[in-house]
Amino acid sequence: MTKPTVLIVEDEAPLVTMLRYNLEKEGFQVCEAGDGEEALVQIAERKPDIVLLDWMLPLVSGIEVCRQLRRSPETRALPVIMLTARGEENDRVRGLDSGADDYVVKPFSPSELVARLRAVIRRAQPSAAEEVLQFADVTMDLAAHRVSRSGKTVHLGPTEFRLLRHLMRYPGRVFSREQLLDAVWGHDVYVEPRTVDVHIRRLRKALNAYGDVDIVRTVRSAGYAIDRPAGH
Ligand code: CA
């Protein structure tokens, strides 16, 4: 995999040096911009994978840079983490009003920052990072649209496929019927919550066709999760 490129937009030189050192050590490719205008030019030219954007910048503020990025179709989805000094983090930052994906308050530890960077990049590129989902002995090849269990093909209908994909993205997490309807069927479609039960039943039957352990967990009055049953 190619190294992800981080654009650091910050006017405090010592902080830039520290960030560059730590990010390069963690396998990132680093470029720099010292003010908001230069940041916009660099983003247009170099298309970084993520932008680390200081809130207090000369010329164009971090917030304004972020707004401009969100307005343009080419950069709308570009991940941005805002850097703020303690005391600057007012409601606008906390609510991520400017369109930033996350924010980090100075002073921060490099390891915390790297963890946030990786999380935001991962969320931004679900298709690249998740071509194959794996849980227990179940494998979902998203690109090939193929599901197998212990190497044997599992035949799923399109709804069951989307349902399993959603559950396998968040193993262990319980989703209510309403949450599953939103995620799998979409907000605009009206479907009875009980419909989810029907498709879960089909999914379970298909997954367990070879007499394997049931990994679809029903949580009474709460919903469903993909989980390892007790003792396995
Ligand atoms: Ca600054």
Side-chain angles (χ1 to χ4, degrees):
M1 210 176 130
T2 53
K3 289 182 173 187
T5 305
V6 185
L7 173 66
I8 303 172
V9 189
E10 169 64 85
D11 55 320
E12 290 164 57
L15 184 54
V16 175
T17 307
M18 185 279 270
L19 284 170
R20 175 182 277 281
Y21 171 79
N22 281 288
L23 293 178
E24 283 178 346
K25 204 175 65 179
E26 292 292 333
F28 292 91
Q29 207 163 326
V30 175
C31 43
E32 300 169 11
D35 62 61
E37 268 177 17
E38 198 195 327
L40 291 167
V41 171
Q42 287 229 28
I43 288 164
E45 280 174 1
R46 311 187 57 162
K47 296 231 167 248
D49 296 296
I50 188 162
V51 180
L52 210 50
L53 184 60
D54 188 34
W55 155 284
M56 292 291 267
L57 288 169
L59 304 178
V60 184
S61 76
I63 297 267
E64 188 46 39
V65 171
C66 200
R67 289 222 178 95
Q68 291 198 27
L69 292 177
R70 291 300 175 250
R71 271 199 293 266
S72 158
E74 290 94 71
T75 53
R76 189 164 291 156
L78 179 63
V80 174
I81 294 183
M82 199 76 108
L83 298 177
T84 73
R86 208 167 287 285
E88 283 174 4
E89 23 144 12
N90 64 19
D91 293 341
R92 265 204 302 182
V93 190
R94 253 181 261 130
L96 304 176
D97 247 15
S98 56
D101 297 274
D102 201 356
Y103 76 97
V104 175
V105 180
K106 298 175 191 173
F108 48 82
S109 77
S111 58
E112 183 201 347
L113 180 69
V114 167
R116 300 278 196 99
L117 278 169
R118 292 216 169 104
V120 171
I121 291 175
R122 199 165 50 232
R123 284 207 300 270
Q125 306 174 314
S127 55
E130 294 186 329
E131 271 177 14
V132 174
L133 295 174
Q134 180 90 44
F135 183 80
D137 53 355
V138 177
T139 306
M140 278 195 103
D141 185 334
L142 300 182
H145 227 265
R146 205 175 292 136
V147 180
S148 62
R149 179 146 202 197
S150 301
K152 283 173 253 167
T153 304
V154 175
H155 297 283
L156 295 180
T159 305
E160 285 74 37
F161 185 90
R162 291 201 303 273
L163 200 50
L164 181 64
R165 181 179 60 193
H166 186 70
L167 292 169
M168 283 197 38
R169 274 185 181 151
Y170 307 94
R173 204 159 116 190
V174 179
F175 291 96
S176 68
R177 292 179 179 83
E178 288 72 20
Q179 287 172 326
L180 290 173
L181 282 175
D182 276 354
V184 175
W185 279 262
H187 292 274
D188 304 329
V189 185
Y190 183 75
V191 188
E192 278 278 319
R194 292 283 147 194
T195 307
V196 176
D197 301 344
V198 174
H199 288 279
I200 286 280
R201 214 172 299 137
R202 285 189 199 153
L203 172 62
R204 202 174 242 148
K205 197 172 161 211
L207 280 177
N208 298 341
Y210 306 108
D212 294 292
V213 173
D214 194 0
I215 60 163
V216 182
R217 185 158 66 98
T218 305
V219 184
R220 199 190 293 244
S221 77
Y224 299 101
I226 284 290
D227 224 336
R228 221 174 277 264
H232 290 277

